Amino acid sequence: MPIRIPSREGQNGPLEVKLPASTTVLPTKIEKVAPAKVEQWNTRKLGLRVAADGASALSAGLLVAPLITMIDKSIIVRASSSIPLTTTLAAPLRTLLFRPHAFLLSTPFFLVATLYTGTYLTANLIDTISSTLTSAPPSTTTAGPAKFFATSAANLSLCLYKDACFTRLFSNPSPSSSSSSPNSKISTPNPAIRQRLPRPTYALFACRDALTILASFNLPPLLSPHLAPYTPSRYLPLDPATLAQCLAPAGMQLLSTPLHLLGLDLYNRPRGIGAREGPTLRERAAKVGRDWAGASFARMGRIVPAFGVGGVVNGRVRRRLMGGLE
């Protein structure tokens, strides 16, 4: 089939090029390039999802707050006096049973409820932000470093504020700052006399909370594979992950409680009061060693509800509420 080529300057006419009969000229095929797919954020019912995060966090925080309030108060009173731990636990328990309105409207209960509601809420909001940015279902949860650092920062700041308030409310920093009556077994701090918490106390409280957070978020995944051959069993019907989540934070209290007690002792018996230069390191160690066992088990009793029961309740309520929004 001949192909005519237009003539150039100086030529009389168009050129003809003859191709063999077997040659076929195919039309050029132009492929259409599909536009790049733009990933959409999952913002559907975002306001209701944030409300669900708040509702689940509040339910868990209010559930664990009564027990933790009683334990924290009893530990601080015990550290600043010679009253047995059972006696210091009985006093707030009686208030909760016979005057629940006074207990639930008190400043200590409000501080503890705010602490754990804020911690759970931070974790929930990180999950919601992640599911929004990755277009995942609202009930999706994460376990990355962003969630760990954000939850740790919220827990640490709120816990330090709560501990500072508890220490000022229930500690007796000097003999003259407490008032007692013949009919009262527990001396009460004089609200007119308040000391600022020393910086070493803040530092010790921060180290204590860092160890607890490490044991609550990082150690359980490392511990659970070693528990798999032993659970669940006839006498321990728990899966390895649940058991590790309870054992790791509870066991860490054996190491973190001395930091807590030493911080309280630095506040209760500061250096430079009057003619005394303060207790020696040996005296402080003896005080911490005397209270270590009882305070450790008491803090175990508060940490399991806080990061075990509270975490389960928060997760289940959130899954149910988010499931209704999907």
Side-chain angles (χ1 to χ4, degrees), residues 4-16:
R4 301 177 67 86
I5 300 177
S7 62
R8 300 178 182 177
E9 294 183 2
Q11 294 181 350
N12 296 329
L15 299 177
E16 288 188 3

Side-chain angles (χ1 to χ4, degrees), residues 3-269:
I3 297 178
R4 301 177 67 86
I5 300 177
S7 62
R8 300 178 182 177
E9 294 183 2
Q11 294 181 350
N12 296 329
L15 299 177
E16 288 188 3
V17 179
K18 293 185 178 181
L19 298 176
S22 59
T23 304
T24 304
V25 178
L26 299 177
T28 304
K29 183 179 180 181
I30 300 176
E31 296 182 358
K32 293 183 178 180
V33 179
K37 184 179 180 180
V38 179
E39 186 176 358
Q40 298 293 329
W41 288 359
N42 181 16
T43 58
R44 181 174 177 269
K45 298 181 179 180
L46 184 58
L48 293 177
R49 288 157 56 188
V50 172
D53 288 337
S56 55
L58 182 61
S59 62
L62 293 177
L63 177 66
V64 303
L67 178 61
I68 296 174
T69 301
M70 292 187 291
I71 294 175
D72 284 357
K73 177 181 177 181
S74 65
I75 292 175
I76 292 178
V77 173
R78 169 70 177 123
S80 61
S81 65
S82 59
I83 304 167
L85 190 62
T86 53
T87 304
T88 60
L89 277 171
L93 180 60
R94 283 195 300 268
T95 304
L96 178 61
L97 294 178
F98 299 107
R99 299 176 57 206
H101 62 285
F103 185 93
L104 298 177
L105 296 177
S106 65
T107 298
F109 177 81
F110 174 78
L111 290 171
V112 174
T114 301
L115 163 63
Y116 288 98
T117 299
T119 302
Y120 296 136
L121 178 60
T122 302
N124 292 345
L125 289 177
I126 292 297
D127 289 336
T128 296
I129 293 172
S130 176
S131 64
T132 300
L133 298 179
T134 60
S135 191
S139 59
T140 303
T141 59
T142 62
K147 185 175 184 178
F148 170 75
F149 287 115
T151 306
S152 300
N155 181 270
L156 187 62
S157 57
L158 291 172
C159 195
L160 286 176
Y161 178 75
K162 185 268 298 180
D163 285 337
C165 293
F166 266 55
T167 304
R168 295 190 187 99
L169 285 171
F170 304 121
S171 284
N172 293 320
S174 66
S176 62
S177 66
S178 62
S179 60
S180 59
S181 61
N183 299 326
S184 176
K185 293 183 178 180
I186 301 179
S187 61
T188 58
N190 185 353
I193 302 177
R194 288 287 181 259
Q195 286 186 185
R196 293 185 61 182
L197 262 69
R199 292 182 179 178
T201 296
Y202 278 112
L204 289 168
F205 284 175
C207 292
R208 173 206 64 191
D209 292 337
L211 289 176
T212 299
I213 292 168
L214 174 71
S216 301
F217 291 93
N218 288 45
L219 294 186
L222 302 176
L223 182 61
S224 58
H226 299 283
L227 299 176
Y230 310 101
T231 58
S233 64
R234 178 181 177 183
Y235 302 101
L236 194 61
L238 296 175
D239 60 273
T242 302
L243 184 59
Q245 188 65 51
C246 295
L247 287 180
M252 184 61 73
Q253 300 313 301
L254 297 173
L255 299 178
S256 63
T257 298
L259 302 177
H260 178 74
L261 295 175
L262 181 57
L264 292 176
D265 191 60
L266 290 172
Y267 175 80
N268 294 327
R269 299 190 295 171

